[in-house]
Amino acid sequence: MEQFLTFGVVGLATAAIYAIIGSGLVLTYTTAGVFNFAHGAAGMMAAFAYWQLAFGWGWPVPLALAVVLLVLAPAFALFVERVLMRPVQSLGEAERLVMTVALLTGCIALARWIWDPNTPRPLRPFFADQPAFHLGPAPVTWHQALTLGVAALIAAGLWLLLNHTRAGTEMRACVDDRALARLTGASPQRAARFAWILATQLAAVGGILIAPNIALDAQQLSLLIVSAYTAAVFGRLRSLPLTFLGALVVGWLESYLTGYLPQNDYLPGLRLAAPALLLFLALLVFPHRRLRGRERRLVRVPLPTPRGSLVFAGCVVLLAVLLATVLDEEGLISYGPAFSLGIVALSYVPLAGYAGQISLCQLSIAGIGAVVWAHLGGAGQLWALPAAVLVAAAVGAAIAVPALRLSGIYLALGTAAFAVILDRWVFTLPSFEVLGVRIALFDQGSVEVQGPNLFGWRLDSPAELLVLSAVVMAASSLAVGWLRRGRFGRGLIALRDSEAAYATLGGRPLAAKVAVFALSAAIAGLGGALYGMQQRTVTAEQFNLLANLPVFLVAVIGGLGAVGTGLFTGFAYIAPPHLLGHFGTWAHDVSTLGIALAGMGLAHNPAGVVPGLREEWAPLARDRVLLPVACGALGLLWLLYGTGLIGGAIFLVAAVLVAVALRIRATARQDGPPPAPDPVEWWGIRRPWRAEDREVIARGIAAG
Amino acid sequence: MASLRADDVTVTFGGIRALDGAGFAAGAGRITGLIGPNGAGKSTLFDVVSGLRRPRTGTVVLDGRDITRDTPAQRARRGMARTFQRLELFGRLSVRDNLRVAAELGSRRREAHRIADDLLERIGLTADAGTTADALPTGAARLLEVGRALAGKPGVLLLDEPAAGQDAQETLRFAALLRDIAADGCAVVLVEHDMSLVMSVCDQVHVLDLGKVVAVGPPEEIQQDRTVLAAYLGEA
């Protein structure tokens, strides 16, 4: 009984922290309409800042607390609200979600850059020198008591604020109807700003209170948010009392699993994954709208032509052959995975670009492809590759079933929870047997991955695997382009634009979603298997949720609807850390920070950069004179490099210069001087109204 | 020949009864009007009939078969199609592709190209075939929704304010299109606020007020009905 009560007290204290953090999530969702994925990261930054002031620089604790809670947290909140969120306020839910994912990624990279993760930073609990007191037989530390007291004060304070103050009334009015609230003199913007400040302060309090219980680690602290997500989903992102109740459930669940879960090799991960499992179940059990209407703003999905697709596929293979001949062994190992990771990113195109289903677990599914290939294709058996693809597809199909009930933010949360379950539990399992079949994953460490045996030809060198990956990427890109032009692709876009109309015309949303999730997972699994081959050894950490986020972000920056996004993502994700790697060990964090910052620029180009690049290079691809000239020039340079007359660096620079010069020439040949743009007030009169005009005007109005 | 019947349909939102035992019947080759003031429950009744909303009580019968528990897709395959009060076009697709998708989702996959071209001509949007649906003006977008609903050659067509956003000329052409559709044997159910359109094309009109059917009859009778006048104009 004593043990039960002791774990109960520990669970209660943890629940209090989750309740504090979760209530901040609810506040921003209800007032600003933003589900803040970076909420935990704000708490993490506050914990690091508090450590820096109080322990790093030795400031008095009250002063450090005051600076963090009253100066830094509000300043951070105002920055996020004004600079990041306001420009995307007029855009869709997906864009707001991406913005917070970018913020989360950026905060983690920034924290790891500033505070070296290899240096331990112990954070002392509050009143650590005071002996614990007893509540019945259960010992209670003063830190736990303080946590409970703070949570109770915050609960009372939020109730008073929302029900008995003008600011609270304004916030609630804006939740009900922003437009109507504005007519009555309330300011939704002021309410949102106030909510952001308050929510960030709550995250900071939560972060500072929980940091002494775990290591001060950027990733670990940011991921604690999964427990707070679960609490908030209990409150359906709207109810503070239910959020507090959800926090209690999560806190006690974690605590009692720690105390009473049998000790063996299979279950410790279950305790770590328990909040994510609970989140997944809560998302499925609580009712959401089944059929949603159309989005507020539509981003075009490019329609690739058969010829354009073939030219692109040819360019991918050509690029791979050039890289395979020009790069040295180290370069091949560094840049080769751009193609395999690009295939993983390509899996977003049918899923998110066409069907509008947000998934934050594509890299985790790639991990499944890698591990299946590693175990079944140990001697390079080619049949193991389709097997890896099929297993990944089956996992994708399984995710799709709950996806029928979820959309938008709920689907993103569900897939994030799935990634956490895989990472913390499934991938950590030792091998086990099901119906006599031995299933092995990462064997609680790493697994070695071999190259395939292609009809007697063993592909094992980095150059061979790079070309293989590029050929598979070219084929996958052709297939995805063909899909876009065909019946299935049209159906997916229709499903995304109006699920209600799709269903009432005879479409089966469940079948379409299962199909697209399975297809997308198959592509991701294929990419994962190739990625594993190129890496030689893979670990579970390479496929965790936090590894998923930057890949997703780069794909968004590229443009989720464009087939070229795969290649773009592969290189934009792989190249910067390797290029910067020569200058210092901070390269990875800084390049991730760069990705996050680019993701934050989403508001200025929601369609992504690839459609723009495609438009720029299309004249050269269409030019029947200059395209052969470009190919000939590249061939000549390659010959010069092959005969040793020029080096690899000169070859690459000259190739890029020739391509750019010919592109400029092709554009000039096609267009002549570009016409002056029509003023906005003449759109639809002097020139036809275009689909993107509404977006441009909306963005202009939003930007003030 | 298709027939549709909804009986005793009740829908509640929290404590509010949006529909309170409402119903109507529509026969093949006839145009049935469903009118009433804003908030009367017309679109909610369409949602129930097309399967987007489960009623608390009541039944929906299509061609003598109870389809109350069928999914929207099953109803569509049985020959039901609808348009929406708030436009639900596939905005990222071209006008032609909107029609092609509709034909492909139904049972007429192989003829999708031809069906799309025929419908473009029938609704008068051939010149806009390549335009993205989201860029259409409201009147043309409404026509496209009607065309899309026709792609599966439905036996029952539910039209929710299809003339909203159309000018007088467009409404006249639309009235002719409606008669044409009904003449092909389709049972058309029309929710509309344009009373001159309703009174000129409908064979039978049902009047809804506060979730209940308060009057049923031919247009000329409905125009004189005191209950209907009270529902629209208030008690004298």
Side-chain angles (χ1 to χ4, degrees), chain A residues 433-686:
Chain A
E433 283 197 5
V434 176
L435 302 172
V437 180
R438 181 176 165 273
I439 295 175
L441 295 157
F442 286 93
D443 293 333
Q444 297 183 298
S446 59
V447 286
E448 284 192 13
V449 192
Q450 304 293 325
N453 191 336
L454 206 64
F455 310 111
W457 178 20
R458 189 64 185 262
L459 302 178
D460 224 13
S461 74
E464 288 166 344
L465 291 172
L466 182 147
V467 174
L468 173 68
S469 300
V471 169
V472 174
M473 172 185 261
S476 308
S477 300
L478 278 174
V480 172
W482 173 78
L483 183 83
R484 167 66 183 92
R485 290 190 299 275
R487 183 163 58 85
F488 187 54
R490 277 193 296 277
L492 290 179
I493 295 170
L495 175 68
R496 177 186 189 175
D497 282 349
S498 174
E499 204 166 316
Y502 182 86
T504 54
L505 286 168
R508 298 180 181 91
L510 174 61
K513 283 187 182 181
V514 169
V516 73
F517 264 94
L519 173 77
S520 158
I523 298 172
L526 182 61
L530 291 164
Y531 179 68
M533 292 174 204
Q534 290 182 303
Q535 295 290 303
R536 310 272 181 181
T537 306
V538 287
T539 62
E541 288 75 42
Q542 287 171 283
F543 304 102
N544 69 17
L545 174 63
L546 291 176
N548 268 285
L549 298 181
V551 178
F552 171 68
L553 271 182
V554 182
V556 172
I557 294 162
L560 290 171
V563 175
T565 293
L567 184 69
F568 173 85
T569 304
F571 277 92
Y573 181 71
I574 290 284
H578 288 297
L579 289 173
L580 292 172
H582 301 293
F583 301 103
T585 52
W586 41 264
H588 186 265
D589 293 327
V590 170
S591 60
T592 308
L593 188 60
I595 289 170
L597 289 173
M600 290 171 198
L602 174 78
H604 304 289
N605 190 8
V609 299
V610 170
L613 287 173
R614 181 171 168 252
E615 211 164 287
E616 281 178 19
W617 288 87
L620 179 59
R622 278 197 294 264
D623 197 309
R624 291 179 190 278
V625 176
L626 292 180
L627 186 62
V629 170
C631 293
L634 279 179
L636 182 66
L637 285 169
W638 197 14
L639 204 66
L640 291 174
Y641 169 76
T643 52
L645 288 171
I646 58 173
I650 294 176
F651 169 80
L652 283 177
V653 170
V656 169
L657 285 177
V658 165
V660 170
L662 288 173
R663 179 186 71 73
I664 294 168
R665 178 75 190 124
T667 309
R669 269 161 60 94
Q670 180 186 287
D671 298 338
D678 287 309
V680 65
E681 58 269 30
W682 287 100
W683 291 0
I685 300 168
R686 275 190 191 165

Side-chain angles (χ1 to χ4, degrees), chain A residues 29-30 105 155 181 204 210 221 267 296 353 369 423 458 472 559 565 632 662 665:
Chain A
Y29 187 76
T30 49
T105 310
I210 204 161
L221 272 172
L267 293 176
R296 274 196 297 170
D423 166 42
R458 189 64 185 262
V472 174
T565 293
L662 288 173
R665 178 75 190 124

Side-chain angles (χ1 to χ4, degrees), chain A residues 291 293-295 297-301 484 487 490-491 493-494 496-498 500-508 689-691 694, chain B residues 50 52 72-73 76-77 80-82 84 86-93 97 100-102 104-106 109 132 134-135 148-149:
Chain A
L291 296 178
R294 54 187 310 198
E295 293 166 30
R297 206 192 96 283
L298 304 181
V299 174
R300 294 287 307 276
V301 183
R484 167 66 183 92
R487 183 163 58 85
R490 277 193 296 277
I493 295 170
R496 177 186 189 175
D497 282 349
S498 174
Y502 182 86
T504 54
L505 286 168
R508 298 180 181 91
W689 180 259
R690 294 175 191 151
R694 190 179 295 175
Chain B
S50 60
L52 291 179
R77 283 192 287 278
M80 186 185 290
R82 72 166 288 184
F84 296 83
R86 202 185 73 158
L87 281 167
E88 291 283 350
L89 287 174
F90 305 136
R92 290 177 179 83
L93 296 177
D97 277 352
R100 275 179 75 184
V101 166
E104 287 164 350
L105 287 175
R109 256 171 228 174
T132 311
D134 202 38
R148 198 180 59 179

Side-chain angles (χ1 to χ4, degrees), chain A residues 131-143:
Chain A
F133 63 91
H134 280 75
L135 204 65
V140 183
T141 67
W142 282 97
H143 184 87

Side-chain angles (χ1 to χ4, degrees), chain A residues 47-293:
Chain A
F48 270 101
Y50 169 67
W51 177 89
Q52 186 63 56
L53 298 178
F55 298 91
W57 294 339
W59 289 19
V61 167
L63 181 62
L65 278 177
V67 169
V68 172
L69 296 179
L70 302 177
V71 180
L72 297 180
F76 181 81
L78 287 174
F79 167 77
V80 172
E81 194 275 330
R82 181 69 190 87
V83 179
L84 300 184
M85 301 317 301
R86 206 180 293 177
V88 289
Q89 197 62 47
S90 63
L91 303 182
E93 188 180 43
E95 282 82 0
R96 296 200 291 269
L97 173 78
V98 168
M99 201 58 92
T100 64
V101 170
L103 183 61
L104 165 64
T105 310
C107 282
I108 293 173
L110 188 65
R112 288 171 64 91
W113 185 24
I114 297 174
W115 293 285
D116 181 2
N118 297 315
T119 308
R121 291 185 179 77
L123 200 57
R124 227 152 41 97
F126 291 100
F127 310 113
D129 45 355
Q130 301 290 321
F133 63 91
H134 280 75
L135 204 65
V140 183
T141 67
W142 282 97
H143 184 87
Q144 287 169 333
L146 175 74
T147 304
L148 291 170
V150 169
L153 273 177
I154 284 172
L158 285 176
W159 181 79
L160 276 174
L161 171 78
L162 292 174
N163 295 294
H164 294 282
T165 66
R166 184 183 161 79
T169 309
E170 189 173 73
M171 283 163 76
R172 285 191 293 125
C174 295
V175 174
D176 285 343
D177 190 325
R178 288 172 79 87
L180 201 59
R182 191 179 278 124
L183 284 177
T184 58
S187 163
Q189 224 160 55
R190 185 172 56 209
R193 199 182 307 135
F194 183 56
W196 273 102
I197 291 175
L198 197 57
T200 309
Q201 285 174 320
L202 290 173
V205 171
I208 291 169
L209 284 173
I210 204 161
N213 300 339
I214 57 173
L216 196 58
D217 175 85
Q219 295 196 357
Q220 210 180 340
L221 272 172
S222 299
L223 277 185
L224 274 177
I225 194 67
V226 173
S227 305
Y229 291 161
T230 312
V233 167
F234 263 76
R236 296 185 200 178
L237 305 183
R238 293 192 169 271
S239 160
L240 286 173
L242 284 177
T243 300
F244 273 69
L245 180 69
L248 267 181
V249 173
V250 182
W252 273 331
L253 180 76
E254 282 186 18
S255 184
Y256 286 123
L257 283 179
T258 306
Y260 295 101
L261 208 60
Q263 296 297 316
N264 61 32
D265 284 344
Y266 297 93
L267 293 176
L270 175 62
R271 194 200 72 73
L272 296 173
L277 264 171
L278 197 61
L279 172 61
F280 205 66
L281 290 175
L283 283 167
L284 291 183
V285 170
F286 293 138
H288 311 287
R289 276 181 308 166
R290 285 190 63 192
L291 296 178
R292 64 190 165 84

Side-chain angles (χ1 to χ4, degrees), chain A residues 329-348:
Chain A
E329 179 94 355
E330 192 192 333
L332 287 168
I333 292 169
S334 300
Y335 296 103
F339 291 99
S340 50
L341 271 180
I343 297 170
V344 178
L346 185 65
S347 72
Y348 282 113

